[in-house]
Amino acid sequence: MARCGPGLCCCCCGERESRTPEELTILGETHEEEDEILPRKDYESLDYDRCINDPYLEILESMDNKKAQRYEAVKWMLVFAIGVCTGLVGLFVDFFVQLFTQLKFRVVQSSVEECTEKGCLALSLLELLGFNLTFVFLASLLVLIQPVAAGSGIPEIKCYLNGVKVPGVVRLRTVVCKAMGVLFSVAGGLFVGKEGPMIHSGAVVGAGLPQFQSISLRKIQFNFPYFRSDRDKRDFVSAGAAAGVAAAFGAPIGGTLFSLEEGSSFWNQGLTWKVLFCSMAATFTLNFFRSGIQFGSWGSFQLPGLLNFGEFKCSESDKKCHLWTAVDLGFFILMGIVGGLLGATFNCLNKRLAKYRMRNVHPKPKLVRVLESLLVSLTTTVVVFVASMVLGECRQMSSSRHSGNDTLSLQDISEDVNSSIKTFFCPNETYNDMATLFFNPQESAILQLFHQDGTFSPVTLSLFFLLYFLLSCWTYGISVPSGLFVPSLLCGAAFGRLVANLLKSYIGLDHIYSGTFALIGAAAFLGGVVRMTISLTVILVESTNEITYGLPIMITLMVAKWTGDFFNKGIYDIHVNLRGVPLLEWETGVEMDKLRASDIMEPNLTYVYPHTRIQSLVSILRTTVHHAFPVVTENRGNEREFMKGNQLISNNIKFKKSSILTRAGEQRKRSQSMKSYPSSELRNMCDEHIATEEPPEKEDLLQQMLERRHTPYPNLYPDQSPSEEWTMEERFRPLTFHGLILRSQLVTLLDRGVCYSESQSSASQPRLSHAEMSEDYPRYPDIHDLDLTLLNPRMIVDVTPYMNPSPFTVSPNTHVSQVFNLFRTMGLRHLPVVNAVGEVVGIITRHNLTHEFLQARLRQHYQTI
């Protein structure tokens, strides 16, 4: 049973003693400012665990080898379609970003060149402001339509793959607003990237395409009842997220590893090939169309991703040059340490800005968010223009530069790099180094830093790094779609080039290759911000097409991660925590094994019986917000032993006694809420002939179990709903656990009128197929919206065919680390706690395994000791 309280996901019923960080703050147990928790939203969990009920078993029985092969073939086709569609989304974003950016820079550049002589640079600034403010305003409006489209979307997808349902995160409206908004925010001159949102866009495509239906476009629906579960959707979302990375960086293997490392909490071998195939399809699609559109060479595959680092290669005339040497590893380690420190500083500042926005911007009218975005755009535009005009240096153009992809040549160079040189405010034969970095798309600026030798002064690089660091930190988190990968890479590349210039100028290391240090600086800063290791290493290696960079990049990222983790978490984890999402980490701390399942479980159970009247189900569903209910019967045969306190029978009876008052209060509340429904338990009228006396002690136990294998559940005494006159013995009889049924399943049964009357057998109850049970997925109707006037409240619902009869369970004495590993590895949402004789004594949900909850329970454990 799970309910979603403030800032929690699917917690259980009852009072929550010292559970949430908010309550810890209120009680004064948390004093540090860093641990202050802001107001949080409600989050639900996803049902990744497969329900093996009768409708599902009917599908398995009807599926032969040919049907299974066709089912698998359809899955592969859908994975390929997801990759192709993700590549087309990337193509759409890239095409219009280039179109709008070229239009803006062409108009502004001609204005600057003209006004430099006439002295009307203010007019050029106004033109640049007009373009940028218009684009950013449109991006902000799209976020107002779908707020979850703001940011990069990586934290939201990470939460989804961890098992948390973020409202609206994988809707069609989200991907439309995301794709259109990010092209406006990038074209508007904000220090954001379009590569990060590609991950979110690919995940949305993966979630929506296999469903063949859309809530935004209700008329588009096909009779395709397959893959209608959170489990299947999770696999497709994993493939879509990997395809987004592959399309962004041209790195299909890196995309697969990203989905494995940062995204999916649950993985299987079969999913690996599907994700890799999807990533390859996305890379192939984007490469094919971009090469044809930009170069007119269809099928040449010259542009594998939205961001390409070019070829790192020393000049043939410089025999002493090497991409890197063993001596350089020492410098790379130091750069990794500095990158980790800079990343931790970036994350700390951004966290404070995010808290400020949550307190002072988000509670206000939505127009305030638009004004904040416009303010950031205004500031960024003015800083870029003034810095290029005042702080830039006019540097001489050399006509004897090396040719090739790695150096700048005025005779032999690609059109893209050649056009990226800006001569703003400089005389003939010179160019402005600051304007060359600021007045270019970020991808072109990265290529400048990677592949031009000696064209930027240390002062320019220092100022550019400082300005870009502060403005990108301020920008990430405003209400526009925005990525963080490219700004971090550009900021880090400037840092790396600065280190290379200093080593050449002051230490005399002329043999070093500046492009390598720029790449290592980019990896160090990006790793210090996002704290990724394996996947980021492969992404950077695939983007450079240079396998020899694998070792230095890996060492740099590891050092940057270790250094940054000493101070705070990665930027995505910080934003997840600020939003109050109950994200489960990879493992628990060693000290948590001092706790058992009985210490963290929720003992207050709201349960249903195998055969329950409609009036009881409606009352339970309307008076609780739980998302699952144990299906139980009263074990009256063990009642006598239970009241004696037999440890074998009650198993952890001391915990039951401690929860008597809360359980009594919960029962009293249910009794009061069901005054109009006098019966919550019932008797199967067909089972009147079942013997009530106990079997002889000498009867063979195995034979008894075989005979009762298909016997209906024992009689449940009619018209005996919980009453305040009940004694403790009557109120807390042992509850034999039979299975778990979801709220969505109960609502579907009521909505379709699945029930039978007292005068009939339960066999006369209508049967629903698996397709009918999942027809309303993913948004099942609410119990308050159902029209139940045609149903007789005395009718009975047999829930046994639809419940999960064999969910994962744990013993009350199970260590927390075992509970955590089982819960996270299997992708569970509810974990019943069942004692040695089959009595359900509590239930564990995601909320009970969050770090804050476990810390609170551990403190209580120490206080008890």
Side-chain angles (χ1 to χ4, degrees):
M1 274 150 340
R3 79 172 181 182
C4 299
L8 300 171
C9 176
C10 302
C11 66
C12 292
C13 56
E15 298 290 333
R16 292 171 296 172
E17 315 98 357
S18 303
R19 295 179 187 173
T20 65
E22 297 96 321
E23 293 175 348
L24 295 179
T25 303
I26 294 173
L27 295 174
E29 298 184 26
T30 301
H31 303 285
E32 298 181 8
E33 183 180 356
E34 289 298 318
D35 295 330
E36 183 181 357
I37 302 300
L38 297 167
R40 296 180 169 185
K41 296 172 61 178
D42 292 346
Y43 292 98
E44 296 182 8
S45 287
L46 295 165
D47 295 303
Y48 287 164
D49 188 24
R50 183 168 284 145
C51 180
I52 313 295
N53 54 13
D54 288 357
Y56 183 78
L57 292 176
E58 291 174 0
I59 294 181
L60 294 182
E61 292 174 359
S62 63
M63 183 173 293
D64 53 13
N65 290 333
K66 291 184 178 180
K67 288 184 178 181
Q69 292 175 358
R70 286 198 297 266
Y71 183 85
E72 190 69 13
V74 170
K75 214 168 189 177
W76 279 95
M77 292 174 60
L78 289 173
V79 165
F80 177 77
I82 291 170
V84 171
C85 292
T86 303
L88 294 176
V89 172
L91 178 70
F92 169 81
V93 173
D94 180 71
F95 177 80
F96 282 99
V97 165
Q98 288 192 13
L99 179 65
F100 293 152
T101 303
Q102 291 176 0
L103 173 64
K104 179 183 69 175
F105 283 139
R106 188 183 304 116
V107 173
V108 174
Q109 181 173 350
S110 61
S111 176
V112 169
E113 293 175 352
E114 180 180 352
C115 290
T116 301
E117 301 177 356
K118 297 182 180 180
C120 58
L121 289 176
L123 180 61
S124 302
L125 176 59
L126 291 177
E127 291 180 354
L128 183 60
L129 282 172
F131 278 107
N132 288 348
L133 292 177
T134 300
F135 289 147
V136 173
F137 178 73
L138 294 176
S140 298
L141 289 183
L142 290 170
V143 171
L144 290 184
I145 297 175
Q146 188 69 8
V148 76
S152 64
I154 296 178
E156 290 82 0
I157 296 303
K158 186 174 181 178
C159 295
Y160 185 91
L161 295 176
N162 191 264
V164 182
K165 182 179 180 181
V166 181
V169 69
V170 289
R171 291 188 59 180
L172 175 63
R173 184 189 303 175
T174 302
V175 71
V176 172
C177 294
K178 194 85 173 185
M180 296 185 64
V182 72
L183 68 89
F184 285 126
S185 59
V186 174
L190 293 176
F191 291 167
V192 300
K194 59 179 180 291
E195 285 72 16
M198 278 301 302
I199 301 172
H200 190 182
S201 301
V204 178
V205 173
L209 186 62
Q211 301 299 312
F212 288 96
Q213 65 177 1
S214 172
I215 297 177
S216 302
L217 303 175
R218 298 184 182 275
K219 294 183 179 180
I220 301 179
Q221 287 191 358
F222 298 91
N223 185 18
F224 190 76
Y226 308 104
F227 312 119
R228 295 285 177 86
S229 68
D230 290 337
R231 185 187 185 94
D232 291 325
K233 182 180 283 190
R234 174 200 66 198
D235 294 344
F236 288 120
V237 169
S238 299
V245 177
F249 298 97
I253 300 178
T256 304
L257 292 176
F258 173 86
S259 185
L260 173 61
E261 179 185 7
E262 286 295 313
S264 296
S265 304
F266 331 104
W267 200 262
N268 60 71
Q269 188 69 22
L271 184 61
T272 305
W273 277 108
K274 293 183 178 65
V275 170
L276 180 60
F277 181 65
C278 185
S279 301
M280 292 296 299
T283 306
F284 170 83
T285 303
L286 184 64
N287 200 344
F288 178 80
F289 284 99
R290 288 190 73 202
S291 301
I293 293 175
Q294 295 191 19
F295 297 102
S297 180
W298 297 92
S300 61
F301 300 104
Q302 303 178 30
L303 300 172
L306 299 180
L307 179 63
N308 187 20
F309 294 157
E311 183 182 0
F312 288 77
K313 185 178 180 181
C314 286
S315 172
E316 296 179 358
S317 60
D318 191 354
K319 301 301 182 182
K320 296 182 179 180
C321 177
H322 299 281
L323 292 182
W324 67 279
T325 62
V327 179
D328 296 334
L329 285 177
F331 296 109
F332 297 160
I333 293 175
L334 294 177
M335 292 176 66
I337 295 175
V338 177
L341 294 174
L342 292 174
T345 304
F346 184 96
N347 293 352
C348 180
L349 294 176
N350 190 264
K351 179 179 180 180
R352 294 182 179 273
L353 283 171
K355 284 186 174 182
Y356 178 83
R357 289 190 179 106
M358 295 177 71
R359 291 195 193 96
N360 303 289
V361 178
H362 294 175
K364 294 182 180 180
K366 295 182 178 180
L367 182 61
V368 177
R369 305 185 189 184
V370 178
L371 295 178
E372 183 197 16
S373 303
L374 294 178
L375 175 62
V376 174
S377 176
L378 174 65
T379 305
T380 303
T381 304
V382 173
V383 168
V384 166
F385 193 89
V386 174
S388 301
M389 181 175 62
V390 177
L391 303 178
E393 295 186 13
C394 295
R395 303 181 67 83
Q396 187 70 30
M397 289 185 182
S398 175
S399 59
S400 60
R401 299 193 184 275
H402 306 294
S403 61
N405 291 334
D406 58 312
T407 56
L408 179 64
S409 173
L410 298 180
Q411 288 85 17
D412 186 15
I413 195 173
S414 66
E415 181 181 353
D416 183 40
V417 176
N418 188 30
S419 62
S420 63
I421 299 176
K422 303 300 179 183
T423 60
F424 291 171
F425 322 118
C426 290
N428 294 333
E429 300 300 326
T430 60
Y431 67 95
N432 189 322
D433 59 351
M434 185 72 79
T436 300
L437 295 177
F438 271 135
F439 274 84
N440 271 312
Q442 296 175 98
E443 292 81 359
S444 299
I446 290 176
L447 291 177
Q448 292 281 349
L449 292 171
F450 281 172
H451 302 297
Q452 290 192 27
D453 190 17
T455 58
F456 304 101
S457 68
V459 176
T460 298
L461 291 173
S462 301
L463 293 173
F464 176 81
F465 172 80
L466 180 62
L467 293 175
Y468 219 94
F469 180 93
L470 296 176
L471 289 175
S472 60
C473 182
W474 186 23
T475 303
Y476 187 73
I478 63 175
S479 294
V480 296
S482 57
L484 194 60
F485 274 92
V486 173
S488 299
L489 287 172
L490 182 54
C491 199
F495 159 67
R497 282 300 294 263
L498 175 62
V499 172
N501 285 7
L502 294 178
L503 291 178
K504 285 184 175 181
S505 303
Y506 297 99
I507 302 182
L509 300 178
D510 295 331
H511 71 280
I512 66 175
Y513 182 56
S514 300
T516 298
F517 277 78
L519 176 64
I520 296 301
F525 187 80
L526 181 58
V529 172
V530 300
R531 312 288 164 79
M532 293 164 52
T533 52
I534 301 175
S535 58
L536 189 55
T537 299
V538 177
I539 288 172
L540 294 178
V541 169
E542 287 187 283
S543 300
T544 57
N545 295 319
E546 186 60 56
I547 191 62
T548 58
Y549 279 141
L551 180 61
I553 290 176
M554 184 182 301
I555 293 176
T556 304
L557 288 175
M558 289 174 60
V559 173
K561 174 179 171 57
W562 291 339
T563 305
D565 286 342
F566 184 78
F567 298 96
N568 51 34
K569 295 183 178 181
I571 187 68
Y572 300 133
D573 292 327
I574 287 176
H575 280 265
V576 167
N577 292 337
L578 287 178
R579 296 174 187 178
V581 180
L583 193 73
L584 296 184
E585 304 293 338
W586 286 103
E587 58 185 2
T588 60
V590 179
E591 71 278 2
M592 293 304 172
D593 263 345
K594 298 176 182 178
L595 301 175
R596 305 295 180 95
S598 59
D599 296 320
I600 65 172
M601 72 182 184
E602 182 61 56
N604 293 327
L605 302 177
T606 301
Y607 45 84
V608 298
Y609 292 96
H611 303 265
T612 309
R613 296 192 192 278
I614 287 179
Q615 59 188 12
S616 296
L617 290 181
V618 172
S619 177
I620 290 173
L621 293 174
R622 286 180 176 176
T623 56
T624 65
V625 289
H626 311 320
H627 288 274
F629 305 90
V631 181
V632 302
T633 54
E634 292 182 1
N635 191 356
R636 295 177 180 270
N638 289 334
E639 179 180 352
R640 189 178 309 158
E641 298 296 333
F642 168 73
M643 294 315 301
K644 290 180 180 179
N646 188 311
Q647 189 67 22
L648 175 64
I649 297 298
S650 62
N651 196 3
N652 201 11
I653 193 171
K654 63 181 181 65
F655 192 89
K656 286 189 172 183
K657 290 181 178 179
S658 66
S659 64
I660 282 180
L661 293 179
T662 53
R663 284 190 63 185
E666 195 265 342
Q667 292 275 22
R668 185 179 300 110
K669 182 169 59 177
R670 283 187 55 196
S671 177
Q672 294 174 352
S673 64
M674 292 188 289
K675 289 181 179 178
S676 58
Y677 306 110
S679 174
S680 62
E681 290 82 34
L682 57 98
R683 168 181 58 186
N684 188 340
M685 302 302 294
C686 299
D687 303 335
E688 294 179 352
H689 301 291
I690 298 178
T692 58
E693 59 272 5
E694 296 182 3
E697 295 181 359
K698 296 183 180 181
E699 183 178 350
D700 181 67
L701 182 60
L702 178 61
Q703 183 64 27
Q704 176 187 354
M705 293 176 62
L706 291 176
E707 292 176 356
R708 299 185 59 184
R709 183 176 179 182
H710 300 287
T711 302
Y713 290 95
N715 289 344
L716 298 174
Y717 296 81
D719 301 322
Q720 289 187 3
S721 33
S723 170
E724 295 185 8
E725 288 75 22
W726 277 21
T727 64
M728 286 297 177
E729 291 82 355
E730 293 174 323
R731 188 182 301 278
F732 299 112
R733 295 185 178 93
L735 304 175
T736 301
F737 181 70
H738 297 288
L740 204 65
I741 189 161
L742 301 177
R743 167 182 284 267
S744 59
Q745 294 172 327
L746 292 176
V747 172
T748 301
L749 295 178
L750 292 175
D751 186 29
R752 295 180 175 270
V754 178
C755 56
Y756 66 98
S757 65
E758 290 181 328
S759 59
Q760 297 176 326
S761 168
S762 60
S764 63
Q765 177 176 276
R767 300 295 297 269
L768 295 183
S769 64
H770 186 270
E772 292 173 326
M773 289 292 294
S774 59
E775 183 178 355
D776 295 323
Y777 178 83
R779 285 171 176 79
Y780 295 96
D782 188 83
I783 184 62
H784 299 283
D785 299 330
L786 295 184
D787 184 11
L788 303 176
T789 55
L790 299 180
L791 294 179
N792 183 353
R794 302 290 296 178
M795 297 286 282
I796 304 169
V797 178
D798 181 7
V799 301
T800 55
Y802 308 99
M803 70 179 183
N804 186 358
S806 55
F808 291 95
T809 59
V810 292
S811 165
N813 296 321
T814 308
H815 290 277
V816 163
S817 61
Q818 296 174 287
V819 175
F820 187 91
N821 291 335
L822 175 63
F823 195 96
R824 193 183 194 282
T825 305
M826 303 309 300
L828 305 182
R829 183 175 185 178
H830 315 92
L831 185 59
V833 182
V834 180
N835 64 15
V837 293
E839 301 168 6
V840 58
V841 295
I843 200 163
I844 296 174
T845 62
R846 172 177 295 268
H847 156 71
N848 302 101
L849 295 173
T850 57
H851 179 73
E852 295 85 359
F853 183 90
L854 293 178
Q855 287 289 346
R857 290 301 189 195
L858 189 62
R859 284 193 291 268
Q860 290 183 359
H861 175 76
Y862 286 138
Q863 292 173 3
T864 304
I865 294 178

